[in-house]
């Protein structure tokens, strides 16, 4: 079950401060444009599940004894369970325990915490695509090598 979150001005303010301290994200498919979007995802997940900021290249949060990397994508509509979550091939090298996936409306009004999956299970279930491949489900041409898995394959994130 996806968790819908209203993005407040406080969340955006904290995310902008966080993004400014990060610099360009290594392995980001869309470059520095994504810094604030990614930071919004991290702030939302931290607010929902607790944990502490890790701020390193391998994971974003420590929740209990888990090292969690938050993967955030922009979207134009409410996500559907059959939509894919993606991790760039570069991201597969990250030393984390699990991924939490987030979608954010392009106008930054709403976000959805889509779910969580262990890194090991993600790569067991995901489909790998190479740059230039075409996603048969929607015609999307991949701009980078990545792994995709449907939202419905994720586990519920507990707050």
């Amino acid at each position: 079950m996806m968790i819908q979150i209203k993005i407040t001005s406080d969340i955006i303010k904290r995310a902008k401060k966080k993004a400014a301290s990060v610099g360009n994200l290594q392995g980001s498919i869309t470059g520095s444009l994504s810094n604030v979007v990614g930071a919004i995802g991290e702030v939302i997940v931290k607010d929902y599940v607790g944990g502490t900021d890790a701020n390193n290249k391998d994971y974003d949060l420590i929740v209990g004894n888990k090292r969690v990397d938050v993967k955030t994508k922009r979207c134009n509509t409410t996500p559907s369970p059959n939509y894919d979550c993606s991790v760039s091939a570069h991201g597969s090298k990250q030393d984390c325990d699990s991924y939490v996936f987030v979608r954010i409306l392009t106008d930054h009004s709403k976000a959805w915490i889509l779910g969580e999956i262990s890194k090991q299970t993600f790569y067991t279930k995901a489909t790998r695509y190479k740059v230039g491949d075409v996603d048969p489900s929607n015609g999307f041409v991949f701009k980078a090598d990545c792994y995709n898995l449907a939202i419905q394959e994720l586990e519920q994130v507990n707050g």
Side-chain angles (χ1 to χ4, degrees):
M1 181 76 193
M2 293 183 273
I3 299 139
Q4 184 175 306
I5 308 279
K6 181 184 183 305
I7 300 175
T8 63
S9 57
D10 177 63
I11 289 170
I12 290 175
K13 185 173 125 189
R14 289 186 290 144
K16 283 182 176 174
K17 184 176 177 182
K18 185 177 183 70
S21 70
V22 172
N24 204 358
L25 297 172
Q26 187 179 7
S28 173
I29 293 170
T30 53
S32 61
L33 168 69
S34 297
N35 283 12
V36 172
V37 171
I40 291 170
E42 291 170 28
V43 167
I44 287 168
V45 172
K46 182 181 176 192
D47 286 355
Y48 189 75
V49 301
T52 55
D53 286 317
N55 294 329
N56 69 55
K57 65 181 179 54
D58 289 313
Y59 50 94
D60 301 309
L61 300 171
I62 298 169
V63 181
N65 61 354
K66 263 193 308 197
R67 301 166 303 159
V68 178
D69 196 52
V70 179
K71 300 292 186 187
T72 306
K73 249 189 206 181
R74 288 182 301 268
C75 62
N76 295 314
T77 60
T78 301
S80 181
N82 63 315
Y83 289 5
D84 284 329
C85 297
S86 302
V87 177
S88 72
H90 178 274
S92 67
K93 299 179 182 96
Q94 289 173 282
D95 185 16
C96 62
D97 299 311
S98 69
Y99 298 120
V100 172
F101 292 93
V102 176
R103 290 276 176 109
I104 294 178
L105 283 180
T106 51
D107 69 0
H108 297 172
S109 63
K110 277 191 246 179
W112 292 266
I113 300 174
L114 306 175
E116 181 173 13
I117 191 167
S118 77
K119 180 181 174 183
Q120 182 178 356
T121 304
F122 178 83
Y123 291 105
T124 300
K125 292 182 168 188
T127 303
R128 180 169 182 158
Y129 292 96
K130 297 212 173 269
V131 66
D133 285 353
V134 177
D135 186 329
S137 68
N138 58 21
F140 175 79
V141 178
F142 289 89
K143 298 171 178 67
D145 291 1
C146 69
Y147 295 85
N148 276 11
L149 185 69
I151 293 169
Q152 61 204 9
E153 296 287 329
L154 304 175
E155 297 165 19
Q156 174 81 36
V157 174
N158 297 312

